[in-house]
Amino acid sequence: MSRTTACRGAGTASGDRTERKNAGCTMSEIDAGALSTLIHLIYAASTDPSKWRTFLERFSTTVGAAGTVLFMHDFGDSSVVRQGGALALMEYVRFDPASIDSYAAHYSLCNVWAQQEGRMRPGDAITSEMLVPFASLQRSEFYGDWLRPQDLAHALGGVVSKSGTHAIKFSAMRSRRGGAFGDDALRLYAALLPHIRQAFEIHKQFVALRAANAGQMHALDAMPMAVWMCGADCTVLAANRAARWMTDKPRGLRIDGAGRLRAQFPDDDAKLQHALARAAGVRTREPRVGTALGIDRLCSATRITAMVTPVHEATEGIDAQTTAVVFASDPDDGLCTPEELLCKVYGLTPHQARLAGWLMRGEDLKAYAQAHEVAYDTARSHLKQVFAKTGVNRQSDLIRVLLTSPALTIRPGPRPWRIN
């Protein structure tokens, strides 16, 4: 991914000096303010994807990268994931668009780093040297025909999140002259990774929220998760049917006399109020970031799973008075199975939903036909009908659509991860 002329600086010598200077930055030089700025930019991008490039540019400068990219990779066939013929996710800075195109068209298939899937667990920060020795990299087509012509040799990256074979990857690169990324860059990357993962979860919820908001409150009421939209003072401005049901009963959350959302236990309530204040921007010295919480209650041994997220200025499709949104699910609700949700969301028949659920779990069509004792042609016919109802033409696109469906994104769990 070669750097464009505009990003090299004024002349080669100047660009080289800048790269050497940036490459020498350490975590000691990355103060709390710089880290806070990066986190703020991540959450701004969660509701406005056009801001990802602002974050990537700042990150590139901070770690001395020649360029940085955020994209969706398919470990199944080593391709860059496409949707409707276009790249599903590809945000980048300091790279030539032509090199991005060539990577997506061919060189992703011979990327020797990406071929080390077993060493890339979601959430881990990794350097290219941890995956492939540089001497081995130099003998590869990927290096000889794609990296070296662009003066690239070293990478820092990892898997943000993974669903099936599809993964969101975040990577930065340096030239051979810039040197390998060190421990300080790894620590910074690791500190940012949970926030990037959270930002994509927030984005999924906002996709559903915008769609429901555009269709008036009755559409918001159809959403399976509880949704509270809160103002600058953290009071609840609007709530859907699932949210009203959750607070009208003694189930762990309530609306107090001032119109604020409250948790039953003091410790959980303090965390909820802190998360709301932080998301709404009440605590001006802290970045506006999202928080995932597990909320205990007396009526059940299970915990409510909640996600509090900021709404940044001029977020498309969201009322201007809304500064924070809370999404929550109750595991005691007798939630629909994934197949039942697919029937409701996409209008699938039970047989079609069963097939879709089977494919979501990574199984193939032949195995489905054998396991359910149906003819392979019948299974193919059901799959074509599922394609028609979900608006896709390929099985890989179907799996991506199903795994990122907003109706299936909040799942109750015994240990919700959180960001504090």
Side-chain angles (χ1 to χ4, degrees):
M1 301 178 182
S2 60
R3 286 160 287 165
T4 60
T5 302
C7 296
R8 287 194 182 106
T12 303
S14 174
D16 291 348
R17 286 195 300 270
T18 300
E19 183 173 64
R20 285 195 295 270
K21 178 181 178 182
N22 288 340
C25 69
T26 67
M27 284 293 285
S28 63
E29 295 170 348
I30 304 170
D31 60 19
L35 182 59
S36 175
T37 297
L38 285 167
I39 293 173
H40 173 80
L41 291 174
I42 289 171
Y43 285 100
S46 70
T47 54
D48 183 359
S50 68
K51 295 182 179 178
W52 275 120
R53 295 191 180 189
T54 305
F55 162 72
L56 296 176
E57 185 65 45
R58 182 64 65 91
F59 181 80
S60 296
T61 299
T62 303
V63 300
T68 306
V69 62
L70 185 67
F71 67 105
M72 189 173 289
H73 176 81
D74 189 341
F75 280 110
D77 59 11
S78 295
S79 67
V80 176
V81 178
R82 294 179 180 272
Q83 178 182 0
L87 297 178
L89 170 67
M90 182 62 79
E91 298 291 347
Y92 60 91
V93 295
R94 305 184 183 184
F95 295 121
D96 188 332
S99 68
I100 294 288
D101 292 341
S102 67
Y103 181 83
H106 173 69
Y107 289 103
S108 65
L109 305 178
C110 55
N111 183 341
V112 293
W113 296 330
Q115 290 166 8
Q116 304 300 314
E117 178 184 5
R119 300 185 183 183
M120 288 186 278
R121 298 181 303 175
D124 286 352
I126 299 171
T127 65
S128 52
E129 289 70 28
M130 296 177 182
L131 300 174
V132 179
F134 186 68
S136 298
L137 174 69
Q138 288 180 293
R139 294 192 294 269
S140 68
E141 175 190 358
F142 179 59
Y143 178 80
D145 293 352
W146 197 78
L147 288 175
R148 187 170 60 184
Q150 302 174 73
D151 192 25
L152 297 174
H154 306 286
L156 165 69
V159 174
V160 177
S161 62
K162 189 176 180 183
S163 295
T165 62
H166 289 186
I168 296 174
K169 298 182 70 177
F170 167 45
S171 303
M173 292 189 181
R174 280 182 184 167
S175 69
R176 189 170 183 177
R177 181 176 57 257
F181 290 92
D183 291 343
D184 297 316
L186 273 170
R187 282 194 288 270
L188 175 63
Y189 184 99
L192 295 174
L193 205 57
H195 296 279
I196 298 173
R197 183 172 65 247
Q198 175 82 323
F200 276 98
E201 289 300 316
I202 290 170
H203 177 69
K204 292 177 187 177
Q205 305 304 333
F206 266 85
V207 169
L209 186 57
R210 286 192 189 104
N213 225 25
Q216 306 303 322
M217 186 55 71
H218 72 275
L220 192 63
D221 284 340
M223 293 178 68
M225 74 285 288
V227 181
W228 294 270
M229 304 173 75
C230 303
D233 58 357
C234 300
T235 58
V236 174
L237 302 177
N240 69 347
R241 181 182 291 118
R244 295 192 298 272
W245 173 262
M246 192 175 288
T247 53
D248 286 347
K249 307 289 182 181
R251 302 171 69 191
L253 290 171
R254 63 184 177 86
I255 304 295
D256 69 10
R260 287 171 171 257
L261 185 65
R262 295 282 186 179
Q264 192 166 30
F265 291 108
D267 286 350
D268 286 336
D269 187 58
K271 292 175 183 176
L272 176 60
Q273 300 312 312
H274 178 83
L276 280 166
R278 198 171 182 183
V282 174
R283 301 179 183 274
T284 56
R285 293 185 179 181
E286 297 183 7
R288 294 183 63 192
V289 300
T291 307
L293 300 168
I295 299 175
D296 291 312
R297 61 267 182 80
L298 286 172
C299 65
S300 175
T302 64
R303 310 174 89 193
I304 292 171
T305 302
M307 183 187 296
V308 184
T309 178
V311 178
H312 292 277
E313 296 81 1
T315 299
E316 182 182 354
I318 306 298
D319 186 278
Q321 292 182 317
T322 301
T323 60
V325 176
V326 181
F327 301 97
S329 65
D330 185 342
D332 293 343
D333 267 345
L335 293 175
C336 298
T337 65
E339 286 78 8
E340 290 172 327
L341 275 174
L342 293 174
C343 287
K344 291 183 177 181
V345 173
Y346 297 105
L348 304 182
T349 67
H351 287 301
Q352 293 165 2
R354 185 177 66 182
L355 170 58
W358 181 272
L359 296 176
M360 283 172 61
R361 291 186 284 272
E363 304 291 346
D364 63 27
L365 194 60
K366 288 183 179 179
Y368 169 84
Q370 293 173 353
H372 294 88
E373 299 181 345
V374 299
Y376 180 68
D377 287 343
T378 300
R380 286 188 61 188
S381 176
H382 286 166
L383 182 58
K384 289 179 181 179
Q385 293 167 357
V386 172
F387 284 170
K389 291 181 178 181
T390 55
V392 301
N393 296 309
R394 299 189 307 171
Q395 189 169 316
S396 60
D397 289 338
L398 171 67
I399 294 171
R400 178 193 52 74
V401 166
L402 296 180
L403 288 172
T404 58
S405 170
L408 305 178
T409 51
I410 291 186
R411 293 182 176 85
R415 299 167 117 188
W417 58 269
R418 62 185 72 197
I419 296 172
N420 292 316

